[in-house]
Amino acid sequence: MRVLRIVRVVALLVAVVVAGCHALPTGPTPSPPPGTTPDRATAPAGAPPAAGAPGADVIDLNGLRNIEFGDTEQELRRRGVLHPEEARCGHSLTDPSTVSPVFDKDRLVLLWASPAVRTPEGVTAGTPVNQVRASYPAATRLTAPPGTYRFDGLLARDGDRAYLFLHDGRTVRKTVAGYADYARRLFDEGFGTC
């Protein structure tokens, strides 16, 4: 039933997209990246960021504030950043509420972000696609399957991490960050509704 939980989380965040109900495939549990910033993992929620650390509204390829890709659901609950109970369509963060987690085998693999959360380069929903291409010139263009109501994408990969910017051809509609393989599979296989 783990796969259903993942589909529900993803579906809540993309309610504007009408597609067939597909699940993210499971795969090996990703390992935490080398050189993660300890300040992010130990800083209490709401604390000002350490020097050089992203601000409260910045999502990067390590995660967000004191949330890192590869963290377990149990650890995030213990630190008070994950609601103790699942909502109808999956997990949600206590703060910021505009970011939603996606887990695989109890490990955080993706974060879906809405404004005012942005990348370090300032990209968020509403950012013009040409600005995204200028900020991430090596991003791979992804085309949604014909006849679907899914968005095209730009996949900006850096090692085993990536940003996936879903867009309508003019502006970004949703920002996803996390493990590159999961972001690519999400785009390739689609996402469903609750």
Side-chain angles (χ1 to χ4, degrees):
M1 293 295 103
R2 188 85 190 123
V3 173
L4 277 173
R5 292 172 75 190
I6 292 170
V7 170
R8 288 180 181 156
V9 169
V10 172
L12 173 66
L13 301 171
V14 293
V16 296
V17 178
V18 179
C21 188
H22 301 282
L24 287 172
T26 59
T29 301
S31 59
T36 55
T37 309
D39 292 338
R40 293 167 53 122
T42 58
D57 60 349
V58 176
I59 188 169
D60 64 24
L61 293 179
N62 288 319
L64 173 75
R65 281 194 252 168
N66 59 341
I67 300 167
E68 292 191 17
F69 298 113
D71 284 347
T72 65
E73 290 179 47
Q74 181 180 4
E75 176 62 17
L76 294 176
R77 276 196 190 94
R78 185 190 65 74
R79 293 197 320 248
V81 296
L82 187 66
H83 279 288
E85 295 185 21
E86 278 189 62
R88 187 175 75 98
C89 287
H91 297 288
S92 61
L93 299 181
T94 56
D95 181 46
S97 61
T98 58
V99 177
S100 296
V102 177
F103 294 93
D104 182 34
K105 296 181 182 174
D106 291 334
R107 294 276 179 186
L108 178 66
V109 295
L110 295 173
L111 289 170
W112 287 76
S114 297
V117 176
R118 58 184 168 73
T119 69
E121 293 75 21
V123 176
T124 187
T127 301
V129 171
N130 61 355
Q131 182 179 334
V132 177
R133 289 187 183 124
S135 296
Y136 303 95
T140 303
R141 294 178 186 197
L142 305 174
T143 304
T148 66
Y149 292 98
R150 292 166 39 189
F151 293 115
D152 288 340
L154 290 169
L155 185 70
R157 189 175 183 136
D158 185 6
D160 70 340
R161 308 297 172 87
Y163 294 112
L164 172 60
F165 302 106
L166 300 174
H167 64 86
D168 60 10
R170 295 179 310 278
T171 61
V172 172
R173 300 298 299 268
K174 188 60 82 172
T175 301
V176 180
Y179 290 103
D181 290 343
Y182 284 90
R184 181 61 198 238
R185 282 187 264 175
L186 172 70
F187 182 85
D188 289 343
E189 296 183 14
F191 24 86
T193 57
C194 250

